[in-house]
């Protein structure tokens, strides 16, 4: 401690006794003036940033309580020269040698929320809660490509529940069932038997999210999604169900029979909550658009559905 430290060079660490002695010989301010601790601190922060840009995954933001960050917080103290009456203070520690390597901290373990199967989640849900569950569902891969999950729409209480397969492009865009060309035909078919989608009918699909390119839903997608439809049936308690197309009919009735053998008669759907519900199977409107000759059969099916009391 024989010379004033040159500018930019860190002063050696002084203990309280040394500081009193420096003050007595009038050297304290001169010795401590360059506030080398601040410069050293700056250098450390820059090094940290450099490290961070090289190894971002391992370097955390400096912890204000850590020795690496301490000089930054201590900078104003080190710069202000203590007044004559100020109590002797220990200068912030200055580390000599290369700056310490930042220590990668362990991420605190975050407990993952348990994945509750759809069938369990829907069990006591109200219709509004069920809608919330559907629009935020991630139970299968279809959620990744959807714009909107399509819960269903219609009057409540609904006399009829109409069940289709899955949303198409327009339904995915608008979040509503049967709003494309098939939907226009469906509306015309329903109004032919005096039914309106706003007043008397609730329209839903077995699958709530659009399969890419309108491909057939996969078994795991059906398994993940069908509890939503079953809960809708329990809650809506429709007087009858009109099922449109082979896929929806086979899924709802749990059969592999052809649509030709399923249509033209009344099936009974047993639900956990309540009595059996009559089910009528008919052709899907998209199929009728491609094969208009089948419209007369579809008309028979609608009349059968309308005739049930
Ligand atoms: N086809 C369906 O099965 N459902 C829709 O919602 C639209 C088209």
């Amino acid at each position: 401690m024989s010379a004033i430290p040159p500018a930019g060079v860190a002063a050696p660490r002084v203990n309280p006794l040394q500081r009193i002695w420096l003050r007595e010989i009038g050297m304290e301010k001169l010795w401590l003036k360059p506030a080398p601790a601040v410069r050293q601190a700056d250098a450390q922060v820059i090094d940290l940033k450099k490290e961070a840009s090289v190894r971002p995954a391992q370097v955390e933001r400096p912890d204000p309580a850590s020795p690496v960050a301490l000089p930054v917080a201590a900078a104003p103290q080190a710069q202000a020269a203590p007044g004559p009456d100020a109590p002797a203070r220990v200068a912030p520690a200055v580390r000599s040698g290369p700056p310490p390597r930042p220590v990668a901290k362990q991420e605190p373990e975050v407990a993952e929320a348990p994945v509750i199967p759809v069938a369990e989640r829907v069990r006591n849900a109200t219709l509004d809660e069920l809608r919330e569950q559907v629009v935020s569902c991630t139970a299968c891969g279809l959620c990744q490509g959807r714009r909107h999950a399509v819960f269903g729409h219609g009057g409540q209480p609904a006399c009829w529940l109409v069940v289709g397969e899955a949303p198409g492009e327009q339904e995915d865009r608008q979040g509503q069932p049967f709003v494309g060309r098939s939907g226009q035909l469906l509306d015309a078919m329903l109004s032919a038997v005096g039914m309106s989608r706003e007043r008397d009918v609730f329209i839903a699909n077995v699958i709530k999210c659009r399969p890419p390119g309108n491909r057939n839903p996969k078994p795991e997608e059906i398994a993940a999604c069908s509890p939503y439809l079953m809960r809708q049936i329990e809650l809506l308690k429709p007087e009858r169900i009109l099922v449109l197309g082979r896929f929806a009919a086979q899924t709802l009735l749990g059969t592999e029979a052809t649509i030709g053998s399923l249509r033209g008669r009344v099936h009974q759907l047993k639900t956990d909550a309540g009595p059996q519900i009559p089910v009528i199977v008919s052709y899907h409107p998209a199929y009728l658009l491609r094969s208009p000759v089948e419209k007369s059969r579809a008309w028979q099916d609608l009349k059968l559905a309308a005739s049930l009391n």
Side-chain angles (χ1 to χ4, degrees), residues 150 163-169 171 176-180 182-183 203-207 244 248 284-286:
V150 180
V163 179
E165 177 175 328
E169 193 193 351
E171 291 77 17
Q176 295 294 333
F178 280 100
V179 288
S182 297
I203 304 176
N205 289 304
V206 176
I207 301 291
L244 301 176
H284 194 285

Side-chain angles (χ1 to χ4, degrees), residues 115-279:
V115 179
I116 303 168
V118 174
E120 213 168 296
R121 258 187 296 136
V122 303
R123 193 162 293 144
N124 296 312
T126 64
L127 205 61
D128 284 342
E129 289 165 348
L130 197 64
R131 185 189 302 276
E132 288 302 313
Q133 291 180 11
V134 166
V135 298
S136 60
C137 181
T138 55
C140 78
L142 292 181
C143 65
Q144 286 161 16
R146 74 175 175 223
R147 289 188 174 101
H148 293 102
V150 180
F151 178 70
H153 175 82
Q156 283 167 53
C159 305
W160 291 22
L161 174 65
V162 175
V163 179
E165 177 175 328
E169 193 193 351
Q170 285 307 314
E171 291 77 17
D172 175 59
R173 272 181 198 281
Q174 299 181 39
Q176 295 294 333
F178 280 100
V179 288
R181 284 186 64 220
S182 297
Q184 288 167 12
L185 178 56
L186 175 62
D187 286 343
M189 290 162 62
L190 289 172
S191 77
V193 285
M195 308 296 285
S196 125
R197 84 153 72 193
E198 297 302 332
R199 192 186 56 222
D200 320 293
V201 175
F202 195 96
I203 304 176
N205 289 304
V206 176
I207 301 291
K208 309 301 188 198
C209 298
R210 184 192 183 202
N214 298 341
R215 66 157 166 75
N216 288 336
K218 296 178 183 170
E220 64 269 24
E221 293 159 355
I222 300 165
C225 211
S226 47
Y228 291 127
L229 177 64
M230 297 316 291
R231 184 65 185 151
Q232 282 177 310
I233 293 171
E234 284 175 2
L235 289 163
L236 291 166
K237 297 183 176 50
E239 288 171 14
R240 69 212 71 175
I241 301 176
L242 176 66
V243 193
L244 301 176
R246 178 182 62 90
F247 168 82
Q250 290 181 342
T251 307
L252 200 64
L253 298 174
T255 174
E256 298 206 332
T258 63
I259 193 151
S261 68
L262 293 173
R263 60 160 296 278
R265 58 200 173 96
V266 181
H267 307 261
Q268 296 293 332
L269 183 73
K270 175 117 188 58
T271 65
D272 288 343
Q276 298 193 343
I277 301 172
V279 175

